[in-house]
Amino acid sequence: MTKPIIILGGGGHAKVLIDILRRLNCRLVGIVDPNQSVGSVLHGLNVLGADNAVFNYSAAEVELINGVGSLPKDKGLRASLFNTFNDKSYHFKTLVDPTAFIAADVELSDGVQVMAGVIIQAGTKIAENSIVNSGAIIEHDCRIGRHVHIAPGAVLSGTVEVGDYVHIGTGAKIIQSISIGAGSIIGAGSVVTQDIACSQIVYPPRSKIKSIER
Ligand code: JB2
């Protein structure tokens, strides 16, 4: 029997996760979010309070879902929530949308979230608290670090290595055997054909926009 679940954060990412959890018939206790009133209802669930409301439940009786997403501009809230509660022995559930294809030997660590339509091929390992967002493809034997966000529709060919805290933007494409250093940001739509060092930003070519003359 799986444990009842508390969701941290009540924004857009949480909404998608709650939909997956409901389809998996998980028992949901409620949401903690410092910006919502205690007792209000969000996404059909009770708001329990701010993050310290989690401590009304022991680490043995509940599991957590990190509903705070991550974007390049944020200040690492998702990672700090994971670390705070993990250090206090709370367990973050690993969540896989039933429509994802995950090869049999893929390793997903605690708190990894795999969204709808994802493909993850044989031999890949993904470390704690990383998100593989809708429709992304991760080919064979990739190594993905902790607190990584692979945004919707991104494609990683085989044996790509991705460091901790990397953001791979929507629709980016990484060819085989590339290494992306920790903390780097790969802009949406980029095509990466060479190794990227730590803490780099890769900018894609931008669309030209012109007014239509009629
Ligand atoms: O300290 C906090 C805290 N600070 C803000 N603790 C908890 N438990 N929650 C916190 N929040 C809440 O996180 C906000 O009040 C808000 O409800 C939520 C953030 O919601 P938002 O919709 O702004 O972003 P998101 O993290 O759900 O989604 C981002 O990342 C996803 C991966 C979005 O930009 C999405 O577009 C993206 N798909």
Side-chain angles (χ1 to χ4, degrees):
M1 187 68 156
T2 57
K3 294 176 183 174
I5 292 164
I6 296 175
I7 295 107
L8 312 182
H13 189 57
K15 182 197 277 190
V16 180
L17 296 168
I18 290 164
D19 178 73
I20 299 171
L21 290 162
R22 288 202 169 111
R23 279 185 279 126
L24 292 171
N25 293 318
C26 294
R27 287 180 292 158
L28 307 180
V29 182
I31 292 172
V32 294
D33 191 320
N35 301 313
Q36 301 291 332
S37 321
V38 185
S40 61
V41 174
L42 195 58
H43 313 310
L45 294 172
N46 290 327
V47 175
L48 307 171
D51 291 327
N52 58 9
V54 170
F55 300 126
N56 295 328
Y57 303 81
S58 74
E61 68 184 313
V62 291
E63 282 193 298
L64 303 182
I65 284 281
N66 197 346
V68 174
S70 64
L71 289 177
K73 64 177 165 48
D74 73 24
K75 302 266 190 306
L77 175 60
R78 177 180 171 84
S80 73
L81 285 172
F82 181 89
N83 291 331
T84 298
F85 286 103
N86 197 43
D87 288 350
K88 292 183 167 36
S89 301
Y90 285 86
H91 180 251
F92 281 84
K93 186 177 177 64
T94 302
L95 188 61
V96 177
D97 189 290
T99 66
F101 170 79
I102 313 284
D105 67 348
V106 165
E107 292 180 24
L108 304 177
S109 297
D110 288 352
V112 169
Q113 297 165 346
V114 178
M115 315 305 269
V118 162
I119 296 173
I120 306 179
Q121 292 289 16
T124 284
K125 296 182 182 175
I126 305 184
E128 289 84 359
N129 198 38
S130 290
I131 303 169
V132 186
N133 225 324
S134 310
I137 297 173
I138 303 182
E139 262 299 333
H140 66 92
D141 298 307
C142 289
R143 295 286 175 274
I144 313 294
R146 308 172 82 229
H147 315 299
V148 168
H149 181 185
I150 298 173
V155 178
L156 280 61
S157 295
T159 63
V160 167
E161 292 197 8
V162 176
D164 296 341
Y165 297 97
V166 165
H167 180 91
I168 298 183
T170 302
K173 292 182 170 41
I174 321 292
I175 70 161
Q176 72 284 348
S177 304
I178 291 293
S179 172
I180 298 175
S184 284
I185 297 168
I186 311 299
S190 298
V191 177
V192 178
T193 58
Q194 62 187 79
D195 288 350
I196 307 296
C198 295
S199 304
Q200 306 296 299
I201 301 185
V202 176
Y203 292 95
R206 293 291 178 201
S207 306
K208 283 188 186 150
I209 301 170
K210 287 175 72 176
S211 298
I212 299 170
E213 290 170 21
R214 297 191 190 280

